[in-house]
Amino acid sequence: MNLEENLKKLYEDIELAKDHSNFRRDVKLIAVSKTHPVEMIKEFNKLGVIDFGENKVQELVSKIEDKEIENKLKNNKINFHLIGNLQTNKVKYIYDKVELIQSLDRIKLAQEIDKRAARDNIKVNCLVQINIGNEETKSGIKYKNTEDFIYELLDYKNINIKGLMAIAPNSPDEIFLRKLFEKMNNMFENISSKRYEGVEMKYLSMGMSHDFKLAIEEGSNMIRVGSKLFGNRNYN
């Protein structure tokens, strides 16, 4: 597998999708490195990729304990994002080590993040995860509850809300997916217009390997791509 070729092709596809979009937003790439070895992360980092996404706390912690990765983290040459469901009892392992927690979807989780951050006198950047397809198997708040949830989060002064995240259903129906992405962008722009203190709608994180082009066309400015870069996941 040629990682450089994979990355080049992905960048070309991103530019093409931006050209087809009415929004023409800059797009931040999160390379989803879950289940892949730390050596592949280092290889992509050499090719200029800065941001990597992990689903599981244990795997994320083991990767950032690698000495080379640890040094890069200290020098801001690499960032990690927690993009999977986060249990409150695992917040302590990663709250001060990630660029973004992209899966904030419960007040109990916000309380734990805020408590840990307050002790260290830091602010933790988070995205609010929305279950845009109302899927029982997926995390995230209901779309209709987004504004109320963000309003509740204003009480937690050590959390910075940096935007919204969604995982669309795995569907071949492009019209259906476009409508969901359009809804997400509408919410993103609606909350942006409210100018809540401590809330900056900087990132609309939506789009993965199979649907990132549609997501970008409908306003996404952060995509989470794994298999198109790393190849199939290794669950062994």
Side-chain angles (χ1 to χ4, degrees):
M1 181 186 294
N2 189 322
L3 301 187
E4 191 170 6
E5 279 296 314
N6 289 358
L7 185 61
K8 182 170 175 264
K9 175 71 169 67
L10 178 60
Y11 283 148
E12 286 170 358
D13 287 343
I14 288 169
E15 289 305 313
L16 206 58
K18 281 164 64 177
D19 287 343
H20 291 157
S21 172
N22 291 326
F23 302 97
R24 314 237 353 142
R25 291 172 179 156
D26 289 336
V27 176
K28 182 183 271 289
L29 169 65
I30 311 297
V32 179
S33 46
K34 64 179 182 179
T35 79
H36 297 293
V38 77
E39 287 72 25
M40 290 180 86
I41 294 175
K42 292 175 187 176
E43 195 60 41
F44 275 119
N45 190 237
K46 283 177 191 164
L47 294 170
V49 179
I50 305 275
D51 295 272
F52 295 86
E54 291 286 337
N55 265 44
K56 295 187 186 311
V57 168
Q58 190 175 356
E59 186 179 352
L60 172 55
V61 169
S62 73
K63 284 174 176 173
I64 61 181
E65 284 175 346
D66 177 275
K67 285 297 173 197
E68 189 180 331
I69 297 290
E70 196 174 34
N71 287 332
K72 284 175 179 283
L73 273 170
K74 284 176 187 168
N75 295 305
N76 298 316
K77 293 183 176 174
I78 200 165
N79 297 317
F80 283 89
H81 298 241
L82 196 283
I83 61 174
N85 179 258
L86 178 57
Q87 296 170 293
T88 52
N89 65 347
K90 294 193 174 166
V91 168
K92 60 190 173 190
Y93 300 114
I94 56 98
Y95 72 96
D96 57 346
K97 296 178 177 67
V98 294
E99 182 73 10
L100 266 178
I101 294 173
Q102 295 206 19
S103 49
L104 178 54
D105 64 352
R106 312 181 303 286
I107 290 300
K108 271 193 173 180
L109 180 56
Q111 288 169 341
E112 182 65 20
I113 295 168
D114 188 70
K115 179 183 80 176
R116 298 270 172 190
R119 282 181 192 166
D120 290 354
N121 196 27
I122 62 171
K123 291 182 183 286
V124 177
N125 295 329
C126 298
L127 303 185
V128 170
Q129 182 175 353
I130 298 171
N131 186 346
I132 190 63
N134 290 322
E135 297 174 275
E136 288 183 11
T137 55
K138 285 199 179 128
S139 302
I141 61 166
K142 290 184 176 176
Y143 180 85
K144 66 180 182 182
N145 296 338
T146 306
E147 267 197 271
D148 289 342
F149 183 67
I150 285 177
Y151 194 74
E152 279 189 81
L153 292 175
L154 300 182
D155 290 336
Y156 301 98
K157 302 303 180 188
N158 290 80
I159 292 176
N160 285 334
I161 300 302
K162 291 291 185 180
L164 307 176
M165 184 270 251
I167 303 168
N170 192 356
S171 168
D173 187 340
E174 286 195 9
I175 295 171
F176 169 64
L177 291 175
R178 274 190 194 281
K179 283 180 179 171
L180 294 182
F181 291 142
E182 183 184 8
K183 271 180 73 176
M184 280 294 301
N185 187 57
N186 289 342
M187 182 64 76
F188 179 75
E189 293 189 335
N190 173 41
I191 293 168
S192 294
S193 71
K194 300 291 169 70
R195 302 190 183 281
Y196 293 122
E197 188 179 343
V199 175
E200 179 191 8
M201 288 289 110
K202 185 175 183 180
Y203 297 120
L204 178 55
S205 176
M206 59 183 192
M208 292 160 50
S209 286
H210 63 287
D211 60 11
F212 72 89
K213 294 181 199 171
L214 294 176
I216 291 169
E217 287 174 23
E218 298 302 328
S220 173
N221 65 0
M222 178 181 277
I223 59 172
R224 309 176 306 276
V225 175
S227 58
K228 273 203 176 296
L229 290 173
F230 291 89
N232 292 331
R233 290 184 194 125
N234 177 14
Y235 286 108
N236 294 327

